[in-house]
Amino acid sequence: MGMAKKGCLGFFILIILLAIVGACMGPDGGKSSDAPSTEKAEKQAPAYTCDVEGVGKVKGAVASNVGIAIYNVEERGTIGDQYFNEKAQGKFVIISVVVSNGQKDAITVDANSFKLVTADGVEYSHSTEAQTALAMENGGKMDSFLKKINPGMVVSASIPFDIPQNKNLSDLKLEAHGGFAGDKVLLPVTVQKAE
């Protein structure tokens, strides 16, 4: 056997050995499976409470020093007034939240900061059409579109989602972000009264 053939065979064997060693180490590069993953290491968000007029004290969570709590959940088939309304493809779920800015500068909250998610990863974005109809119903008040909140201030917003008619709200969580680039929290889609 010539030197070139021996060199190629040796190189081929080296590649096979490296592949075997890599396979034995597994996809995590040989790290211990006892080390917590980032999902497991995600800590519980701090609790947040807010006194909402006509509702009382509600509780939620804090993300990036922004407190978020749900104070009303409503299901409807149509949103709007006599001049402009929107019919749901499934059903509308209007989630009303309070948002409190605990940061040192102003934050911008938008309906895009919120979505409904299921345990298996299905996501429902807010309905822009229903948001417009809701604004018309409320005399033109668009309360969840690019709203700026200064430090120490608390505002409310209502976000409509169009979800399947047979979807149970207990199967959903509200994913909310503490501002555009803030951390996220997951809240059950219900009003949680503070004790």
Side-chain angles (χ1 to χ4, degrees):
M1 205 185 234
M3 284 299 276
K5 286 184 180 179
K6 284 183 182 178
C8 287
L9 181 62
F11 181 74
F12 183 72
I13 291 173
L14 179 64
I15 296 294
I16 291 174
L17 286 173
L18 287 174
I20 292 171
V21 169
C24 290
M25 291 180 72
D28 63 357
K31 294 178 186 167
S32 168
S33 60
D34 295 335
S37 70
T38 52
E39 289 179 8
K40 289 179 186 172
E42 190 176 325
K43 54 186 174 182
Q44 182 76 24
Y48 166 72
T49 59
C50 184
D51 196 1
V52 178
E53 187 177 333
V55 178
K57 286 195 176 195
V58 293
K59 62 182 178 179
V62 175
S64 299
N65 290 329
V66 175
I68 303 156
I70 297 172
Y71 71 89
N72 191 42
V73 178
E74 182 182 356
E75 294 182 52
R76 289 167 50 182
T78 306
I79 296 176
D81 60 15
Q82 60 184 1
Y83 303 109
F84 185 86
N85 56 60
E86 190 69 30
K87 185 171 177 14
Q89 295 171 359
K91 65 181 174 184
F92 287 125
V93 176
I94 304 168
I95 299 180
S96 299
V97 296
V98 285
V99 180
S100 171
N101 183 6
Q103 295 185 8
K104 293 184 178 178
D105 53 1
I107 62 168
T108 302
V109 174
D110 183 58
N112 291 320
S113 302
F114 302 90
K115 59 185 157 184
L116 292 178
V117 296
T118 64
D120 56 355
V122 176
E123 298 180 352
Y124 299 98
S125 298
H126 81 286
S127 170
T128 305
E129 297 81 11
Q131 192 73 56
T132 304
L134 190 60
M136 299 306 286
E137 186 179 287
N138 294 326
K141 181 183 172 198
M142 186 77 87
D143 69 357
S144 62
F145 180 73
L146 295 174
K147 184 179 267 188
K148 194 174 222 181
I149 310 171
N150 279 319
M153 302 298 288
V154 179
V155 298
S156 63
S158 295
I159 307 108
F161 299 88
D162 196 345
I163 66 171
Q165 185 69 37
N166 62 353
K167 183 58 71 178
N168 192 331
L169 296 185
S170 63
D171 297 334
L172 298 169
K173 299 263 190 211
L174 179 69
E175 182 182 297
H177 290 263
F180 275 135
D183 294 335
K184 70 178 180 184
V185 291
L186 293 173
L187 300 172
V189 181
T190 187
V191 177
Q192 299 180 83
K193 293 283 194 162
E195 309 256 331

